[in-house]
Amino acid sequence: MHPLLSAPRNFIVVFVFWLFICCCVAMLMVLLATNANIEQPYAHSFVLILPWYLFFLFICFSNYYLCQLLQFNVYSLPVVIGSQFIALAISVSLWLLLGFGWASQMDNVGLLEGNYFYQRTFNGHCLLGAILYCTWILIHYTYLHAVANEQKKAEELQQQLLIKSIDFTSVKASVHPHFMYNSLNTLANLSLVAPEKIHDLCVQMADFLRYSVNYSSRPQVSLADEINHIQNYLAVERERFPEKIKLNIRISEQANAAQVFPLLLFPLIENSIKHGINSSTDSGFISVDATVANETLTVRIENSVDPSGTKADSTGIGLSTLRKRLHAHFGVNFQLYTKTTDGSFIVQVELPFTIHLVTQSAESLA
């Protein structure tokens, strides 16, 4: 159904506006027939034009379905223009024929010069019919284009929300079971060899889990919060691998205030532990650097790799999920690089730099 016909209020507005156009056309035709010496020119003009042009409105409405069929993204421009030109010629020709028939019947209402008035104004009707029909073609294509854009944006938004929902769920599912399993084993070992460390480690575990659980209520966090989060995670990992992890964090003051989405760094640090430290026979290092330049936040994470060490199974899900989340948040305005060198693996993320004047620390998430 034509969108105007499905919305009565809009149809009434268009109908009233079309009546105004009909009245203007009737006045114009009186001027065109001034030299024809027609008696009662206004009566002839209005009786001929009002019903005839009102019927033409519904002929123009029918073009909507042709516009739906002949989409520019489906057919080439020459095909669309050629098809619409043929439709214009047929529609206007039938309408002119209908006008001739109506003019022939005007003598039944006492207007004996209907045919003559029609003939005197024929060229004007041909021109106006073509202009009005082309105008409705433009209106229909403009409307269809706007609807298509709105649907596309709605689908993109729905896809982004779905990606975020799926990725948040997957991140949560990977964080809590692995972390709790490793942490409980670490606490059990510490209870035998160094019970005095258990309290501080439990506090860091609680901070880590509190941040992981509550992050979904915030669309953004500061990079400083993210750094604090991974430091709590690494505190537990250091107890699992004593003297094996050398951590080096260098974050510029400007980068600390940068706003990022939650759990940006955790999958990268977890990969550094799993594929770097845990797979190495000797001690290793993890280096985290963050800087801001040219309105771009650059985060670089490097970890040692032991070529002779045990290779952990890699699913590639961590980086793949992170890339999807980055795309959902920033579209194409991000970069994610990975590089393997002799003895190290590097991940670099580049994001648009944003900052909130009032920031909220991770402690306030409780």
Side-chain angles (χ1 to χ4, degrees):
M1 180 180 290
H2 194 284
L4 289 177
L5 297 179
S6 61
R9 188 174 180 179
N10 293 338
F11 175 73
I12 292 173
V13 173
V14 172
F15 187 80
V16 171
F17 182 69
W18 192 261
L19 278 177
F20 173 74
I21 292 177
C22 292
C23 293
C24 292
V25 172
M27 297 298 294
L28 177 62
M29 294 307 163
V30 170
L31 294 177
L32 291 178
T34 300
N35 299 326
N37 297 322
I38 297 174
E39 294 183 3
Q40 299 179 301
Y42 287 97
H44 280 82
S45 184
F46 277 88
V47 171
L48 171 66
I49 286 172
L50 284 180
W52 184 32
Y53 273 72
L54 285 175
F55 186 80
F56 188 58
L57 174 63
F58 292 95
I59 293 178
C60 292
F61 279 176
S62 66
N63 176 261
Y64 173 76
Y65 305 101
L66 183 62
C67 291
Q68 276 187 317
L69 179 63
L70 296 173
Q71 294 287 336
F72 286 101
N73 59 346
V74 178
Y75 297 95
S76 63
L77 184 60
V79 171
V80 174
I81 293 177
S83 300
Q84 290 288 4
F85 180 80
I86 293 173
L88 183 151
I90 294 174
S91 299
V92 173
S93 298
L94 291 175
W95 173 67
L96 290 172
L97 183 62
L98 179 66
F100 175 76
W102 172 236
S104 301
Q105 299 299 317
M106 287 174 60
D107 56 349
N108 294 328
V109 293
L111 300 173
L112 304 179
E113 298 179 276
N115 273 335
Y116 182 57
F117 184 84
Y118 175 82
Q119 293 170 7
R120 293 288 298 185
T121 57
F122 179 79
N123 292 336
H125 295 307
C126 291
L127 180 61
L128 283 174
I131 292 173
L132 292 173
Y133 192 87
C134 288
T135 301
W136 276 105
I137 291 176
L138 293 176
I139 291 173
H140 290 150
Y141 274 123
T142 301
Y143 172 79
L144 290 171
H145 179 71
V147 170
N149 281 344
E150 185 177 349
Q151 290 177 344
K152 183 179 179 181
K153 290 180 180 179
E155 290 173 358
E156 288 177 352
L157 178 60
Q158 185 177 7
Q159 183 180 11
Q160 288 181 1
L161 292 175
L162 180 61
I163 289 174
K164 290 179 182 180
S165 176
I166 293 174
D167 291 342
F168 284 170
T169 303
S170 65
V171 170
K172 280 184 176 180
S174 65
V175 169
H176 295 165
H178 294 164
F179 180 76
M180 291 301 297
Y181 175 79
N182 294 331
S183 299
L184 290 174
N185 278 336
T186 301
L187 289 175
N189 293 332
L190 285 178
S191 67
L192 299 176
V193 298
E196 69 278 3
K197 293 183 178 181
I198 292 180
H199 176 268
D200 291 340
L201 194 62
C202 285
V203 171
Q204 290 172 315
M205 288 172 56
D207 288 341
F208 174 86
L209 291 172
R210 179 177 57 184
Y211 183 92
S212 300
V213 169
N214 294 336
Y215 76 92
S216 57
S217 63
R218 298 182 64 186
Q220 290 182 322
V221 295
S222 70
L223 187 65
D225 290 337
E226 283 287 289
I227 294 297
N228 185 62
H229 181 241
I230 63 171
Q231 285 179 325
N232 287 328
Y233 169 70
L234 288 172
V236 178
E237 295 301 318
R238 277 178 161 174
E239 293 299 333
R240 289 180 60 209
F241 306 106
E243 306 299 327
K244 196 173 181 181
I245 303 177
K246 296 178 182 178
L247 180 63
N248 188 11
I249 298 178
R250 294 183 295 269
I251 312 295
S252 71
E253 183 177 353
Q254 193 176 14
N256 257 326
Q259 295 294 304
V260 297
F261 57 76
L263 297 187
L264 168 67
L265 300 182
F266 175 76
L268 302 178
I269 298 299
E270 187 182 38
N271 278 347
S272 297
I273 294 293
K274 180 179 180 181
H275 301 289
I277 305 301
N278 197 21
S279 300
S280 177
T281 55
D282 299 320
S283 62
F285 69 88
I286 298 176
S287 177
V288 181
D289 297 272
T291 57
V292 176
N294 299 323
E295 299 302 318
T296 299
L297 170 67
T298 300
V299 179
R300 185 177 185 271
I301 298 177
E302 182 178 4
N303 62 268
S304 57
V305 175
D306 186 356
S308 60
T310 304
K311 302 298 181 183
D313 294 335
S314 176
T315 62
I317 294 177
L319 286 176
S320 176
T321 300
L322 178 60
R323 189 180 297 276
K324 290 179 181 178
R325 295 182 68 201
L326 288 168
H327 186 270
H329 282 82
F330 303 106
V332 297
N333 299 317
F334 78 93
Q335 296 290 342
L336 176 61
Y337 304 102
T338 60
K339 181 181 179 181
T340 302
T341 64
D342 292 338
S344 69
F345 179 76
I346 301 171
V347 179
Q348 182 167 306
V349 183
E350 296 179 4
L351 310 172
F353 173 67
T354 57
I355 181 172
H356 289 173
L357 295 180
V358 179
T359 58
Q360 183 180 13
S361 67
E363 294 177 358
S364 65
L365 291 174

